[in-house]
Amino acid sequence: MDKRCDTFSNTQKRKYLNVLLTLRLAFRFILNTRKGSFSSYASMLTIAGLSIGITALMLTSSIIDGFQEVMSDKLSSIEGEGRVKHILGKPIDLDNTILEIIDKDSIYQINPFIKNVCMIRKGKNIEGAILEGVEKYPSAISDHYSSEVSSGEIILGHILAKNLDVKIGDKVFLQNFSQGMKNYLGPEINGFEVKFIFKSGLQEYDNSMAYISFIEAQRIFGYAENMASGLIINHSNNINFDYPFYFETWEERHNLLFEWITIQRWPAYIMFGLITLVGLVNLFATIAMIIIEKHGQIAILISGGLQKKKVRNIFMLQGAIIALFGSLIGGIMSLFLIQIQMKYSLLKIPVEIYFMDTIPFSFHLKNFVIIVLSVLVCSIIASWRSSKSLTSFSLSEILRYE
């Protein structure tokens, strides 16, 4: 029994010593401090190349994810998570039994709205606008002003306010030209005081949206007391309604925008992934050149009893170590740049084109892990492929000239 335990213990020790030897030789080829050592310089340059490629990939992924998250937050904060409308665009009866499915459920936040077009005038300045009557302002406004809607007040998008030359506290006049509200004296004119000017960063809304109270919108557009254009629903999953109603989320309404983001994602990954591919090619060349440079030492190790398979493992481990160092350095660099941009917003972009004034970043650990694992696997494959030359080593020829 003792002999078996000793044999098992010796086997474990040999395995442990083999692992230590493999690690030591792999690090020695990378961190060789001998002056003029090609292996050390080549390894450091390969690490630098991989770190630059991974930084480019991480920044690309972070920008795409950040843009999508910013757009999602902006749209959901203005439109709510979803809206219930009539399939033919007609006003809906708030007392309709079909709508009781959400009215009785306390988990939903329901806000009826009325939406129509009108003219807003201040002095000689006249602009067309989309007027929305609500009982509570959307979070894009309530986060900066208030969620409660008061009678006689109006909130304008900042571009609309600029075109009208309006400031907070000014009075503007609304004119409704819908057919049902015309009378012999002309269209009805209603005065409102500008209480707040919002800036969403989305030109579609900043250029045309105005908000007033739900009750005043009912009166202006001639809606009955229990009628509305639809319902804004938050904290909702996909809700199914019977005809003639339907539920539309903000993602479904702007699906073309998010399809465009998805289409642009993979070409961007491929383009910046080529930088990482260059680093992997450098790794392949580096391992091959190190084998050529160290062929005398490798021949001595093999002639001393070290199997060629274990020598190949040394170079495969060396490739994995180089990839790991490059990944860690690239991850740290990208995280540093992302934090700098998120804190100081140094990189600016035109808001008229991109719906935001700074480049958005969003760091996801999952993306970083996927990139690192992919680079590690590719590095091991590249190292394995470049170390295949060891199988054709002729020890007699090499040792003859050493």
Side-chain angles (χ1 to χ4, degrees):
M1 183 69 179
D2 293 337
K3 291 182 178 180
R4 290 181 179 178
C5 291
D6 291 341
T7 303
F8 179 77
S9 177
N10 291 333
T11 303
Q12 292 296 101
K13 286 181 180 178
R14 283 197 297 270
K15 289 182 179 180
Y16 178 69
L17 290 174
N18 285 332
V19 172
L20 285 181
L21 177 63
T22 303
L23 283 170
R24 182 175 180 181
L25 290 174
F27 276 105
R28 184 178 179 182
F29 288 150
I30 296 175
L31 305 174
N32 193 343
T33 57
R34 184 166 59 87
K35 187 175 180 180
S37 173
F38 169 81
S39 59
S40 179
Y41 290 135
S43 299
M44 294 303 172
L45 288 173
T46 304
I47 290 173
L50 283 173
S51 64
I52 292 173
I54 289 172
T55 300
L57 268 179
M58 282 301 303
L59 292 179
T60 302
S61 174
S62 299
I63 290 173
I64 294 174
D65 291 339
F67 183 80
Q68 186 168 354
E69 288 180 6
V70 169
M71 292 300 300
S72 299
D73 291 341
K74 286 179 179 291
L75 291 171
S76 61
S77 67
I78 294 174
E79 297 194 353
E81 294 182 12
R83 297 194 174 200
V84 179
K85 300 177 183 178
H86 193 284
I87 197 169
L88 299 178
K90 296 179 180 180
I92 65 174
D93 187 351
L94 299 178
D95 297 330
N96 194 302
T97 55
I98 299 177
L99 302 176
E100 290 181 358
I101 185 175
I102 57 172
D103 196 28
K104 293 180 179 180
D105 201 329
S106 59
I107 67 171
Y108 301 126
Q109 291 184 359
I110 304 171
N111 186 16
F113 71 93
I114 291 176
K115 195 170 187 178
N116 213 326
V117 295
C118 69
M119 299 292 291
I120 301 179
R121 178 174 60 84
K122 189 218 170 184
K124 296 181 179 179
N125 299 320
I126 300 176
E127 291 288 335
I130 300 174
L131 186 65
E132 191 163 291
V134 292
E135 293 181 347
K136 290 186 177 181
Y137 290 124
S139 58
I141 296 174
S142 62
D143 290 345
H144 306 282
Y145 177 60
S146 171
S147 62
E148 300 301 323
V149 185
S150 300
S151 177
E153 71 177 26
I154 188 171
I155 291 178
L156 304 175
H158 81 100
I159 298 178
L160 178 61
K162 182 179 179 181
N163 293 337
L164 290 168
D165 193 20
V166 168
K167 299 183 294 294
I168 294 177
D170 290 349
K171 193 168 185 178
V172 296
F173 296 92
L174 269 61
Q175 300 180 17
N176 171 32
F177 291 97
S178 62
Q179 188 67 30
M181 290 301 296
K182 287 185 178 180
N183 55 44
Y184 295 108
L185 299 178
E188 181 181 354
I189 298 176
N190 300 270
F192 291 88
E193 183 181 354
V194 178
K195 287 292 187 179
F196 185 71
I197 297 173
F198 72 92
K199 183 177 181 180
S200 67
L202 300 173
Q203 192 172 12
E204 175 185 350
Y205 299 93
D206 294 340
N207 193 41
S208 60
M209 286 300 298
Y211 293 90
I212 61 173
S213 72
F214 179 77
I215 295 176
E216 287 177 319
Q218 280 183 323
R219 177 179 56 81
I220 292 173
F221 295 113
Y223 280 64
E225 185 177 353
N226 60 334
M227 302 297 287
S229 299
L231 299 174
I232 302 171
I233 304 178
N234 291 313
H235 301 292
S236 61
N237 297 318
N238 287 328
I239 309 173
N240 294 321
F241 287 92
D242 295 330
Y243 181 86
F245 303 111
Y246 72 99
F247 179 75
E248 182 183 45
T249 65
W250 58 267
E251 291 175 301
E252 292 170 342
R253 183 178 179 187
H254 299 276
N255 65 322
L256 289 177
L257 174 63
F258 291 97
E259 285 180 6
W260 175 82
I261 295 175
T262 302
I263 292 171
Q264 294 298 317
R265 183 184 298 271
W266 289 109
Y269 285 165
I270 293 171
M271 182 174 63
F272 288 97
L274 292 175
I275 301 175
T276 307
L277 180 61
V278 172
L280 291 172
V281 172
N282 288 339
L283 175 63
F284 179 88
T286 297
I287 298 296
M289 293 300 293
I290 290 174
I291 291 174
I292 295 172
E293 182 193 28
K294 305 293 184 182
H295 67 281
Q297 299 175 28
I298 294 170
I300 293 171
L301 289 172
I302 295 175
S303 63
L306 191 63
Q307 298 177 358
K308 288 184 178 181
K309 180 180 179 182
K310 292 181 179 179
V311 176
R312 291 187 68 183
N313 290 342
I314 292 172
F315 290 102
M316 290 173 65
L317 180 61
Q318 181 184 4
I321 293 171
I322 290 174
L324 184 61
F325 282 168
S327 300
L328 291 176
I329 294 172
I332 293 171
M333 288 173 58
S334 60
L335 185 59
F336 174 75
L337 293 174
I338 289 170
Q339 292 297 323
I340 291 294
Q341 173 64 13
M342 291 176 67
K343 187 174 182 179
Y344 298 105
S345 300
L346 298 178
L347 302 177
K348 304 291 185 179
I349 53 178
V351 66
E352 297 82 6
I353 300 174
Y354 297 102
F355 311 115
M356 55 198 77
D357 56 358
T358 62
I359 295 179
F361 281 97
S362 177
F363 181 83
H364 291 283
L365 183 61
K366 177 183 175 183
N367 294 345
F368 176 67
V369 172
I370 292 174
I371 291 173
V372 170
L373 290 178
S374 301
V375 171
L376 279 174
V377 171
C378 293
S379 299
I380 292 173
I381 293 173
S383 303
W384 170 80
R385 183 65 185 84
S386 60
S387 63
K388 283 191 71 176
S389 60
L390 290 171
T391 57
S392 60
F393 254 43
S394 175
L395 297 181
S396 59
E397 289 292 328
I398 295 172
L399 292 175
R400 180 182 301 174
Y401 299 103
E402 283 294 317

